[in-house]
Amino acid sequence: MNLSTFGFILTGILLNATAQLLLKAGTNAVGEIHLTAANWFATGVKVATQLPIVGGLACYVLSVVVWIIGLSRVDVTIAYPMLSLGYIVNAIGAWYFLGEAVSTQRMLAIGIIIIGVALLARS
């Protein structure tokens, strides 16, 4: 995999991870969602008007475009497992931006992911 292809794959992963963090920030602002027949429309409007959620959805759209470009250049058996890098980005982002806990067990799991992605990238 050349540097340009890796750049597209990595950008797609980072945009996807950013989308997740923005969606979570938006749901934190809304609070726990309970849909009923009576409140589904009002809840939908409340969710759809949250700026972080709109930003997260925009990141998803961009990530799909960039991901398609990356997939056109590399085997899916290489690209798809690299999505696991998103777990690392999300864990760090959730800890830093959202104040979520990252336990020792989670850090160990992230280390295993890093080893797997490094092996995959070398193939």
Side-chain angles (χ1 to χ4, degrees):
M1 177 179 342
N2 64 36
L3 190 58
S4 172
T5 300
F6 183 73
F8 279 109
I9 296 296
L10 186 61
T11 300
I13 292 165
L14 293 174
L15 284 166
N16 190 294
T18 301
Q20 286 295 319
L21 293 168
L22 287 169
L23 292 174
K24 180 58 178 168
T27 59
N28 284 350
V30 170
E32 194 169 322
I33 298 170
H34 298 281
L35 289 178
T36 65
N39 78 355
W40 70 268
F41 185 76
T43 301
V45 169
K46 187 175 183 181
V47 168
T49 57
Q50 289 295 315
L51 214 53
I53 290 177
V54 173
L57 293 173
C59 284
Y60 266 138
V61 170
L62 276 171
S63 76
V64 169
V65 171
V66 172
W67 189 252
I68 288 169
I69 294 169
L71 282 178
S72 75
R73 299 171 179 211
V74 69
D75 292 342
V76 73
T77 56
I78 299 294
Y80 190 70
M82 293 190 80
L83 281 174
S84 61
L85 290 172
Y87 296 128
I88 300 163
V89 174
N90 274 323
I92 293 167
W95 168 74
Y96 187 78
F97 296 112
L98 303 174
E100 294 185 9
V102 180
S103 65
T104 303
Q105 184 175 352
R106 288 182 190 178
M107 287 190 288
L108 179 61
I110 289 169
I112 292 168
I113 291 169
I114 291 170
I115 291 168
V117 169
L119 290 171
L120 182 68
R122 294 177 55 104
S123 66

